[in-house]
Amino acid sequence: MAEKIKCLIIGSGPAGYTAAIYAARADMKPVMYTGMQMGGQLTTTTEVDNFPGYPKGTDGTAMMEDLKSQAERFGTDVRFGMVTKVEFSDKEGGVHKVTVDESTEIEAQTVIISTGATAKYLGLESEQRLIGGGVSACATCDGFFYKGQEVVVVGAGDTAAEEATYLANICSKVTMLVRKDHMRASKAMQHRVNKTENITVMYNTEIDEVLGENVVEGVRAVNNETGEKTEIPVTGVFVAIGHKPNTELFKGVLDMDETGYLITKGKSTKTNLPGVFAAGDVQDKEYRQAVTAAGTGCMAALDAERYLGALA
Ligand SMILES: Cc1cc2nc3c(=O)[nH]c(=O)nc-3n(C[C@H](O)[C@H](O)[C@H](O)COP(=O)(O)OP(=O)(O)OC[C@H]3O[C@@H](n4cnc5c(N)ncnc54)[C@H](O)[C@@H]3O)c2cc1C
């Protein structure tokens, strides 16, 4: 027998927990499945300095524990488990069937999807070891820690160009490593990069190794045409080669853009199916911040509450 609930929240990042706080306080008795990464992406970082309410900054894992406690205080049922199958209804007031860990069946009147996105990395052993020790996938989050220092940005698209120009305002020097002989970024973004004095672009260049034991001390770059290797002394390595939204489960079910991000309607969190809402990085490739994820989590719970209210 499937368990029948009012509100199911998939994912336990800032979007999911904020949705849970609002849904629980609106008496929707939300059930949350956390996925494999309880607390979401922020549990992979030590310092979070830009989330409002923490004047001294906080640790990512500690912050997510705070959000979990707050959601549970109002009665959110937080469960460890992975949603493995969805059968969403396309009818107003229809029941959405969801399977957890390939066995538990849930029937929910509303579903809030907050499965986030995963930053892509190069996959080098040295890079993986130094994530949090100078390797980052988010200039907006971590750039401040490299004030007045020299950093590299890896990537050739709009995000990489944007991260490079953002960092150029904070850091003394930014070296952009571009794998091909040209950038993929828009002409306008390339122009911004080229006219920024403290950005140097190295084309046909890839990272061979990130140097340093516990913290980044530099990178060894290799020219993929000549094979020539250069050591660049830097304290920060910003990998900007894209993100992958966690939306495999919803392929062919929910509308998504060409890169797999869920599409929401106008300024709401409504997906193309009634009673199914999306919040956080899973529907946002622009801002990708904890506070914006939390903001849309709040919106999703309010949208779900209004949806249920209109059915009554
Ligand atoms: C290293 C790092 C440092 C960062 N630093 C900052 C910072 O300082 N400040 C800032 O504002 N932002 C920072 N960010 C960005 C921030 O972490 C994200 O914007 C934010 O976490 C997005 O929240 P979310 O709730 O959308 O999803 P996520 O945090 O990505 O969480 C997604 C959740 O969905 C779950 N999930 C996925 N699939 C399933 C499934 N099938 N079933 C059930 N659950 C599922 C996962 O287990 C996870 O709990 C950082 C990101 C990284 C990677």
Side-chain angles (χ1 to χ4, degrees):
M1 273 285 280
E3 180 184 358
K4 294 181 178 24
I5 61 171
K6 270 191 188 170
C7 178
L8 173 72
I9 300 171
I10 312 177
S12 56
Y17 280 133
T18 308
I21 292 165
Y22 277 78
R25 294 186 81 240
D27 209 23
M28 289 161 69
K29 301 188 171 39
V31 171
M32 170 190 282
Y33 278 95
T34 64
M36 301 308 281
Q37 191 179 45
M38 191 187 252
Q41 292 174 63
L42 279 187
T43 59
T44 65
T45 188
T46 45
E47 280 166 284
V48 180
D49 254 358
N50 54 8
F51 198 84
Y54 293 98
K56 293 185 178 137
T58 183
D59 171 87
T61 304
M63 179 180 138
M64 296 316 299
E65 277 298 320
D66 284 348
L67 281 173
K68 179 170 178 277
S69 305
Q70 195 174 353
E72 285 178 329
R73 178 156 76 94
F74 301 111
T76 306
D77 187 348
V78 179
R79 304 175 185 173
F80 186 76
M82 192 80 183
V83 171
T84 45
K85 190 176 160 198
V86 296
E87 286 169 82
F88 292 152
S89 165
D90 58 2
K91 295 189 178 51
E92 202 75 21
V95 163
H96 304 296
K97 296 182 184 166
V98 167
T99 308
V100 181
D101 293 333
E102 283 166 18
S103 55
T104 306
E105 311 247 308
I106 306 273
E107 289 184 1
Q109 284 178 277
T110 61
V111 178
I112 296 175
I113 299 167
S114 51
T115 49
T118 309
K120 290 184 194 163
Y121 286 95
L122 301 166
L124 298 168
E125 183 279 324
S126 53
E127 170 211 51
Q128 293 299 303
R129 179 166 45 80
L130 288 164
I131 289 174
V135 173
S136 168
C138 179
T140 324
C141 313
D142 297 330
F144 181 78
F145 301 121
Y146 301 89
K147 201 171 180 181
Q149 300 172 39
E150 299 191 9
V151 298
V152 294
V153 171
V154 186
D158 277 329
T159 306
E162 231 165 67
E163 302 233 325
T165 47
Y166 176 85
L167 288 165
N169 283 323
I170 303 168
C171 303
S172 56
K173 186 177 174 195
V174 178
T175 306
M176 247 183 113
L177 306 183
V178 175
R179 191 156 51 103
K180 296 195 174 159
D181 63 358
H182 61 277
M183 275 191 227
R184 270 188 301 109
S186 64
K187 286 280 174 270
M189 280 312 298
Q190 290 191 39
H191 183 63
R192 266 178 71 188
V193 166
N194 292 332
K195 74 174 200 255
T196 306
E197 273 181 14
N198 60 342
I199 300 180
T200 306
V201 184
M202 291 173 74
Y203 291 99
N204 291 116
T205 306
E206 297 176 40
I207 289 191
D208 190 38
E209 192 179 341
V210 183
L211 306 171
E213 198 57 44
N214 300 315
V215 290
V216 170
E217 288 166 13
V219 296
R220 187 166 57 238
V222 58
N223 182 303
N224 56 28
E225 282 204 316
T226 63
E228 190 190 340
K229 293 189 178 177
T230 327
E231 284 196 8
I232 311 171
V234 289
T235 49
V237 176
F238 289 87
V239 183
I241 56 173
H243 283 74
K244 192 178 172 304
N246 302 319
T247 53
E248 283 296 314
L249 206 54
F250 312 110
K251 278 207 173 121
V253 179
L254 294 176
D255 288 350
M256 32 184 100
D257 72 8
E258 67 292 347
T259 45
Y261 283 88
L262 296 184
I263 295 173
T264 49
K265 290 184 187 166
K267 285 185 180 172
S268 79
T269 61
K270 293 175 190 167
T271 66
N272 55 304
L273 295 180
V276 181
F277 307 91
D281 283 14
V282 75
Q283 53 83 57
D284 170 24
K285 60 178 167 194
E286 277 295 319
Y287 302 105
R288 287 194 298 251
Q289 291 295 291
V291 70
T292 47
T296 52
C298 156
M299 288 164 61
L302 294 177
D303 284 342
E305 186 192 354
R306 283 169 196 162
Y307 169 82
L308 287 176
L311 292 177

